[in-house]
Amino acid sequence: MKNFYKSNRLSQRSKWMTLVIALVVTFAANAAIVYIHSVIYRETMAKYNHQQNTALKVSELFMKESFQTVYDDMGLLKTSYSMMNYLDTDRSKESRDELENMFYRYAGGRKGLSQIRILDMDGNELVRVNRRKADQVVERVVPKDLQNKSDRYYYQSALDLTAGEMYISDFDLNIENGVIVVPYEPTIRFARKVYDGFGNEAGILVLNFDGDRFFSIISKYKELNLEQFDIGLADANNYWSFMGENLERMSDLYQTTLGFSVESILSSIEAHKRASVDEPITWKEDNVLYMYEELPIFKETQYVFDFPENAWYLLTALDINKALDHENLFLNHFYSVLVILDLLVFIIAFSLVLLFSTKTQQNMMLLVSAYISNNSHDGIVILDEKLTIQYCNNIFEEIFGFKSDEILGKPIQSFFSDNRIALSKDAQTDLWDGNVWNRTKRGHMIRKHLLIKAVRNRHNEIRYYIGIYANPKLNSNLQMSSANKDITSSFISDDEIEHVGRYLDERFQNSSKYMVVALQVKDRLGAMLEANQSIQGNFVRKSSTILNTMMPENTFVIPHSNLMVLASEIGDSEKDTEEHITEIIQRMEQLLRKALFDMNLGSFSVKFNAGVACRSDDFASGSTIVGNSLIALEALLKLKRSNYLVYTDQIYHYIKEDMSIRKALIHAFEEDEYYVLYQPQVDFETNEIEGVEALVRWQSAELGTVSPSKFIPLLEDTKEILRLGKRVLEKVIDDLVHLHPRRPDGKPLRVSINLSSIEFTNSAVIMSLIEMIRNASLTDYQFCFEIIETTLMDNIAVANMVIEQLHLAGIQIAIDDFGSGYSSLAYLKEINADELKIDRLFIKDYPDADDGKIIKAIIRMGREIGIRIVVEGVETEMQYRFVKGTEADLYQGFYMSKPVPLDTLFSTAHDEREDKPLRIKST
């Protein structure tokens, strides 16, 4: 050992100094570990405290929503057609069976429901449906097994309810025929009064729910397997643990999974409630951390309880010892871990100090930096104080196409194509951070983001620099620096367009014709590149290297994310241009597939969108051509046509119009620019208006009248169609209330409203529309929602569920624009729709270019199915007479009337010829 020190010119003092430094480092690390332990312990307890608070808030939310859902469901049930039909008739067997069937369907779909029944005012069960807890089978109860419940507390309590109140029982055990069910089943009961059509009290609707299944949050807590937690509900008598299994002993009602007694906890709650006004309240007792919050449902005026003076509490209890055992090894066995960590720190400190004493700091740092760079997806260089390249990784070699011996020893500025770039060191950070243009070995120009950081030693002396070449950082949604200043791009920045434009002007100064292709990867590959930055960076590097190497010399590539911009010379003729576009796109597809294969991503197919712009004269600047290619790409994404689109003036005007409409749409709701017109639907047999279709229109202050075909798709893209649907229904209801149009025969006037696929598939939206119609109380009108056939065909089972929900609310369904989508009658038997509207394309060419055989066949098959038939687009007298000769029920079109205001439609007199329908007079 002595010879070793002497040969390396090290004294014995270095050994002891190394030992002292290692001990000092170990002592400091020991203190740091103890401090970290205390911090982790506090953070751990704070985390569990936060989990407890979250559990309370989430449980409160779920319970509140559960009670509100039951309240809403009972409201729908007691006002449903089946219920009212049963109460308003002589309670015949047919009406009872219909009500029982509705109960059966509701019980089958409502989680946690155990019984649904209706009692008369004397407590006799009229209809009851059970749902077995064990196997969730729904059973109808035959009349001979129905019981009298007049002695039950929930019946007595429900007698005093008013129309808007709902009775809620305490949690108790389920009792059947006077015997408590074992194993014990916690049960909660709800009751609301029902009324007949004359407003008289007709009975009491009662719903029973399994207490341990009523709140869906219970099962979620069980799935989390939180053994150290107990979460439950405490009332004045019992504690119901959400974490417990099915109760088998009465003692389980008074014992939680953590073993604390309910009586003591309720006493503690009352004591802390008097001492503090904060909610929720937390306290620690016997190494258990408790937190509770009083449920606010007792303050809801529509809820009535047996003991309103009592309160329900959500309670969480955390066993601190179990919680710490559940954490990592560091907290469980701190002192053992501390000894091991001290030993490791000592060994590492001793080794590092010894290593630094035998090697220079600069060589060590260079070694570490070089190792890291070889495991990076970015190009990395190490520079000396004069910014001369001393090291480069293989990624840097691939990017620029040079070998290491052609790179080392050269100043980094020699790779820049823009002489205006100067690397000036920042006095504070020694940092260069920005986008730079570089030339490859083959002369291609590429854009990279360069970061240069100075590496200093402990004396703040610069030892060397590290340069990192990564994908360019660009700001989106900047104005294009092209002739089209009023159009913005979401793909590439203003700086990029200007720089590429200057390069094109220089590169193709002797050629009047060239094209620019803006290519964006799409589908599964595009989604993966957007989601995974590491794969994205590797793909950009690989693909740009391959394209720059294997594309023709007069082609260059600018890579950025999943967008690439290419430029290439083209021939003089239009045919040559088309062939060159096809050839270069196919070539790009082959090379990108090779890049994926090199990345072991050969299973991904290469699909892309490409915007193409051509320069055919000497006047258009390069930046204008680049901007035009991006405009073509933007239009292609909106139009969703083929995989590439060539820029034209029409495309520019299309994008400009699209942007203008999107901009104007921002103010359309605030300025109330939407209005509704109505087009009549005429009955062939009576020659009278049977219904009207409400059609939305937009009169923009900036753009004037905008066609629905232009603004409706934009509203669907931004989900603002949901807002428009409510606005249209509000205006329709307002028109009906103020104008009150009526049919002469006294039957309800049908009002049809178009519903988008987004609205139809959103249950919350459907419920809100139903509620708006119900609150309007328009008994003289029959509402009908029109749905396009493609929406219904996406999922027939789900569509029928929504239709049934609408039917229960008294709303009809029409299949709109039939023939424009699937054009199939096969699914009509499976869809429970009320009306079929045949698209105008089947009548528009009659009689000039269409003999009407197809529309006749559709009408005939529709009649066999038994659905009401409406023919749209009847515009001429010949079309009217032809359709009248078929078996269609109604027609709609300009022959009768264009869409007009409701007051105009029902007040204007029309030609009273025999075959011309008459207007209905308003009242």
Side-chain angles (χ1 to χ4, degrees):
M1 184 63 69
K2 291 182 179 180
N3 292 333
F4 173 80
Y5 281 114
K6 289 181 180 179
S7 63
N8 288 278
R9 297 182 180 180
L10 297 174
S11 64
Q12 290 284 13
R13 190 188 316 178
S14 300
K15 173 183 176 181
W16 295 110
M17 183 62 68
T18 300
L19 180 60
V20 170
I21 294 174
L23 290 174
V24 171
V25 172
T26 303
F27 177 82
N30 188 286
I33 293 170
V34 172
Y35 173 77
I36 291 172
H37 173 266
S38 64
V39 172
I40 293 177
Y41 177 85
R42 292 195 301 271
E43 291 179 349
T44 300
M45 297 311 299
K47 177 187 72 174
Y48 280 106
N49 190 276
H50 175 71
Q51 289 181 359
Q52 287 181 275
N53 186 43
T54 301
L56 290 179
K57 296 299 183 183
V58 173
S59 299
E60 176 188 340
L61 176 62
F62 269 81
M63 295 183 76
K64 182 177 180 180
E65 290 183 349
S66 297
F67 280 111
Q68 185 63 43
T69 299
V70 174
Y71 184 88
D72 293 340
D73 285 358
M74 295 186 79
L76 290 175
L77 289 170
K78 74 188 190 73
T79 59
S80 65
Y81 172 81
S82 300
M83 180 70 75
M84 300 306 296
N85 185 45
Y86 177 74
L87 297 176
D88 290 342
T89 62
D90 57 353
R91 302 186 181 180
S92 63
K93 182 180 183 304
E94 291 77 13
S95 61
R96 182 193 181 281
D97 291 342
E98 185 178 353
L99 180 60
E100 185 179 68
N101 288 336
M102 185 181 73
F103 283 1
Y104 182 89
R105 291 193 301 270
Y106 178 77
R110 189 64 170 90
K111 182 178 180 182
L113 182 74
S114 60
Q115 286 183 343
I116 176 173
R117 73 188 81 186
I118 182 170
L119 311 175
D120 62 20
M121 295 309 294
D122 295 324
N124 297 308
E125 287 183 329
L126 301 176
V127 180
R128 174 156 60 98
V129 171
N130 297 335
R131 183 178 182 181
R132 296 202 299 260
K133 182 175 182 179
D135 52 8
Q136 299 296 300
V137 173
V138 180
E139 300 174 328
R140 296 179 173 88
V141 179
V142 297
K144 68 183 182 63
D145 293 335
L146 297 176
Q147 304 170 14
N148 182 279
K149 300 293 184 179
S150 59
D151 60 337
R152 300 303 169 86
Y153 64 91
Y154 55 83
Y155 166 78
Q156 299 293 336
S157 299
L159 287 176
D160 298 326
L161 292 174
T162 62
E165 293 179 337
M166 180 177 70
Y167 163 78
I168 304 173
S169 74
D170 281 343
F171 277 80
D172 59 6
L173 298 182
N174 190 22
I175 300 176
E176 290 292 340
N177 298 317
V179 179
I180 297 177
V181 177
V182 178
Y184 298 127
E185 297 178 355
T187 301
I188 183 170
R189 297 175 173 86
F190 300 84
R192 290 189 71 175
K193 277 187 179 179
V194 295
Y195 300 83
D196 60 21
F198 302 97
N200 301 317
E201 296 178 347
I204 297 172
L205 179 65
V206 181
L207 273 63
N208 291 9
F209 284 84
D210 293 337
D212 59 347
R213 297 190 184 188
F214 180 66
F215 303 112
S216 60
I217 192 66
I218 298 175
S219 60
K220 297 185 182 299
Y221 287 139
K222 288 181 179 179
E223 292 171 4
L224 293 177
N225 194 24
L226 303 174
E227 296 95 357
Q228 66 274 16
F229 266 109
D230 193 68
I231 308 168
L233 177 70
D235 57 27
N237 303 310
N238 301 305
Y239 176 88
W240 307 90
S241 174
F242 290 175
M243 305 296 291
E245 300 297 331
N246 290 335
L247 302 174
E248 296 182 359
R249 304 180 308 279
M250 183 64 72
S251 60
D252 290 338
L253 300 178
Y254 301 94
Q255 199 73 12
T256 71
T257 57
L258 296 183
F260 57 78
S261 67
V262 176
E263 291 83 356
S264 64
I265 293 304
L266 292 177
S267 299
S268 298
I269 287 177
E270 291 299 326
H272 286 87
K273 184 177 179 181
R274 290 191 298 269
S276 175
V277 295
D278 296 331
E279 291 280 350
I281 296 177
T282 305
W283 78 94
K284 182 178 178 183
E285 184 175 327
D286 295 331
N287 213 33
V288 176
L289 185 62
Y290 297 99
M291 182 181 293
Y292 89 91
E293 184 170 5
E294 182 178 346
L295 280 176
I297 59 174
F298 281 78
K299 301 176 182 178
E300 302 288 344
T301 57
Q302 70 271 29
Y303 298 149
V304 177
F305 297 84
D306 278 330
F307 304 98
E309 68 277 10
N310 296 331
W312 290 1
Y313 303 94
L314 283 171
L315 177 69
T316 62
L318 171 68
D319 189 319
I320 296 176
N321 292 331
K322 285 186 178 181
L324 294 180
D325 289 340
H326 188 262
E327 290 300 319
N328 52 40
L329 184 67
F330 185 72
L331 288 177
N332 294 347
H333 308 283
F334 169 67
Y335 293 105
S336 299
V337 173
L338 181 62
V339 172
I340 295 174
L341 290 177
D342 283 344
L343 181 60
L344 289 175
V345 169
F346 177 81
I347 294 174
I348 293 173
F350 186 88
S351 302
L352 288 177
V353 174
L354 185 63
L355 181 64
F356 274 96
S357 66
T358 57
K359 294 181 178 290
T360 64
Q361 184 184 33
Q362 181 176 8
N363 290 338
M364 183 61 191
M365 295 171 70
L366 284 171
L367 181 63
V368 173
S369 299
Y371 175 79
I372 294 174
S373 69
N374 280 329
N375 292 275
S376 171
H377 290 298
D378 298 322
I380 296 179
V381 292
I382 297 178
L383 315 171
D384 60 14
E385 295 88 344
K386 298 180 180 179
L387 299 180
T388 300
I389 301 176
Q390 301 298 314
Y391 167 84
C392 68
N393 65 351
N394 57 347
I395 304 300
F396 185 87
E397 296 178 24
E398 291 183 17
I399 291 175
F400 293 98
F402 292 102
K403 298 297 183 182
S404 59
D405 56 354
E406 300 175 296
I407 299 174
L408 301 181
K410 293 186 177 180
I412 193 171
Q413 291 95 326
S414 63
F415 292 93
F416 299 157
S417 63
D418 194 338
N419 296 326
R420 295 176 300 170
I421 296 177
L423 297 179
S424 57
K425 292 178 291 185
D426 189 290
Q428 300 297 325
T429 61
D430 301 303
L431 175 70
W432 163 266
D433 190 355
N435 291 337
V436 294
W437 288 91
N438 305 89
R439 291 189 183 275
T440 66
K441 185 177 182 179
R442 299 187 70 211
H444 293 298
M445 186 179 65
I446 59 175
R447 182 73 154 168
K448 287 290 180 180
H449 177 262
L450 174 61
L451 171 68
I452 298 180
K453 182 70 174 71
V455 179
R456 300 171 179 269
N457 61 13
R458 61 182 179 178
H459 304 297
N460 204 32
E461 299 170 342
I462 296 178
R463 307 307 302 174
Y464 61 95
Y465 296 90
I466 292 182
I468 302 175
Y469 279 87
N471 293 332
K473 292 183 178 180
L474 300 178
N475 295 322
S476 62
N477 297 322
L478 297 177
Q479 264 198 346
M480 290 185 179
S481 292
S482 64
N484 306 318
K485 284 287 187 179
D486 51 353
I487 297 211
T488 60
S489 171
S490 57
F491 302 108
I492 194 170
S493 74
D494 180 75
D495 172 63
E496 291 288 347
I497 295 174
E498 289 292 346
H499 205 111
V500 174
R502 289 197 299 270
Y503 179 80
L504 288 177
D505 293 336
E506 175 187 346
R507 189 69 175 268
F508 297 107
Q509 59 181 341
N510 297 323
S511 175
S512 61
K513 298 198 69 175
Y514 64 86
M515 74 173 182
V516 174
V517 181
L519 178 146
Q520 184 187 45
V521 182
K522 64 176 184 178
D523 292 350
R524 288 178 58 235
L525 178 59
M528 182 189 65
L529 294 177
E530 292 181 1
N532 192 312
Q533 293 185 0
S534 176
I535 296 179
Q536 178 189 105
N538 199 16
F539 174 77
V540 170
R541 179 177 56 81
K542 286 281 187 182
S543 58
S544 61
T545 300
I546 291 175
L547 289 171
N548 277 320
T549 302
M550 305 186 71
M551 293 294 279
E553 288 289 339
N554 61 349
T555 302
F556 74 95
V557 181
I558 305 169
H560 170 59
S561 182
N562 62 343
L563 175 75
M564 296 185 181
V565 179
L566 293 89
S568 179
E569 276 188 312
I570 55 178
D572 293 331
S573 68
E574 183 176 342
K575 181 179 179 181
D576 291 341
T577 300
E578 293 179 355
E579 291 178 352
H580 192 72
I581 291 173
T582 303
E583 177 185 351
I584 199 168
I585 289 180
Q586 291 176 349
R587 181 66 171 165
M588 288 158 54
E589 182 179 353
Q590 295 172 357
L591 295 178
L592 291 178
R593 192 178 294 114
K594 182 179 186 304
L596 291 176
F597 182 81
D598 293 345
M599 296 171 60
N600 296 320
L601 296 175
S603 61
F604 284 86
S605 60
V606 178
K607 296 181 179 180
F608 49 80
N609 297 307
V612 182
C614 300
R615 182 178 187 259
S616 57
D617 54 59
D618 297 329
F619 302 103
S621 66
S623 60
T624 299
I625 305 303
V626 175
N628 290 346
S629 70
L630 295 173
I631 292 175
L633 178 58
E634 191 84 33
L636 178 63
L637 296 179
K638 297 180 184 299
L639 295 172
K640 299 177 181 178
R641 293 181 180 172
S642 59
N643 64 329
Y644 76 89
L645 185 65
V646 180
Y647 174 86
T648 62
D649 290 340
Q650 289 80 2
I651 290 174
Y652 162 73
H653 292 300
Y654 165 77
I655 291 295
K656 182 179 179 181
E657 181 185 46
D658 180 84
M659 295 183 65
S660 299
I661 294 176
R662 289 178 184 270
K663 180 181 178 182
L665 278 172
I666 298 175
H667 309 290
F669 285 102
E670 288 72 13
E671 301 299 328
D672 195 22
E673 295 178 345
Y674 296 112
Y675 62 97
V676 177
L677 299 179
Y678 299 84
Q679 189 171 39
Q681 297 172 346
V682 184
D683 189 312
F684 280 112
E685 183 177 350
T686 64
N687 223 20
E688 298 290 349
I689 297 177
E690 182 178 310
V692 294
E693 179 181 359
L695 300 169
V696 64
R697 295 294 184 261
W698 177 28
Q699 182 67 31
S700 170
E702 300 178 20
L703 306 176
T705 302
V706 183
S707 170
S709 63
K710 293 182 179 180
F711 71 82
I712 293 293
L714 299 183
L715 290 174
E716 290 178 342
D717 285 344
T718 60
K719 301 296 187 294
E720 286 290 291
I721 194 70
L722 302 178
R723 189 177 176 188
L724 179 64
K726 290 186 178 180
R727 180 66 62 86
V728 170
L729 183 55
E730 288 173 355
K731 290 182 177 293
V732 169
I733 291 173
D734 185 65
D735 285 345
L736 296 177
V737 169
H738 289 87
L739 301 176
H740 200 59
R742 299 178 62 87
R743 291 175 54 174
D745 56 8
K747 294 182 181 180
L749 177 69
R750 190 175 66 258
V751 181
S752 298
I753 301 174
N754 290 283
L755 213 61
S756 69
S757 60
I758 299 176
E759 294 171 291
F760 184 74
T761 54
N762 190 317
S763 58
V765 172
I766 293 294
M767 288 302 299
S768 66
L769 297 179
I770 291 175
E771 192 67 21
M772 290 173 64
I773 294 175
R774 182 182 293 112
N775 293 338
S777 300
L778 297 170
T779 57
D780 294 334
Y781 304 98
Q782 170 69 63
F783 282 88
C784 177
F785 287 158
E786 297 187 3
I787 315 296
I788 61 173
E789 58 174 324
T790 51
T791 300
L792 298 173
M793 279 296 293
D794 286 341
N795 192 322
I796 293 178
V798 173
N800 276 331
M801 291 176 62
V802 178
I803 292 174
E804 183 178 2
Q805 184 182 19
L806 292 169
H807 280 168
L808 287 174
I811 300 172
Q812 294 185 352
I813 290 295
I815 302 174
D816 193 20
D817 295 338
F818 179 80
S820 61
Y822 291 91
S823 303
S824 172
L825 288 165
Y827 73 91
L828 288 181
K829 291 183 178 180
E830 303 179 43
I831 295 293
N832 300 326
D834 305 282
E835 182 179 281
L836 176 66
K837 300 189 70 176
I838 301 176
D839 191 84
R840 64 182 301 273
L841 66 90
F842 292 102
I843 191 65
K844 70 181 183 68
D845 295 327
Y846 180 87
D848 298 332
D850 192 340
D851 58 5
K853 290 183 179 180
I854 296 178
I855 193 171
K856 280 185 177 181
I858 294 174
I859 294 172
R860 190 180 309 113
M861 295 180 68
R863 296 296 295 179
E864 291 179 1
I865 295 172
I867 192 170
R868 185 169 60 242
I869 305 294
V870 180
V871 179
E872 297 182 292
V874 177
E875 298 183 356
T876 67
E877 185 170 352
M878 292 188 67
Q879 291 173 350
Y880 166 75
R881 294 186 178 278
F882 166 71
V883 177
K884 185 177 181 181
T886 66
E887 298 181 78
D889 298 288
L890 308 168
Y891 79 94
Q892 177 179 339
F894 286 2
Y895 180 66
M896 173 60 182
S897 173
K898 294 182 178 181
V900 295
L902 192 61
D903 55 351
T904 303
L905 178 64
F906 285 95
S907 62
T908 304
H910 280 251
D911 189 355
E912 298 186 2
R913 291 176 298 164
E914 178 182 356
D915 291 335
K916 190 73 172 180
L918 301 176
R919 297 294 187 188
I920 301 173
K921 302 299 181 180
S922 60
T923 60

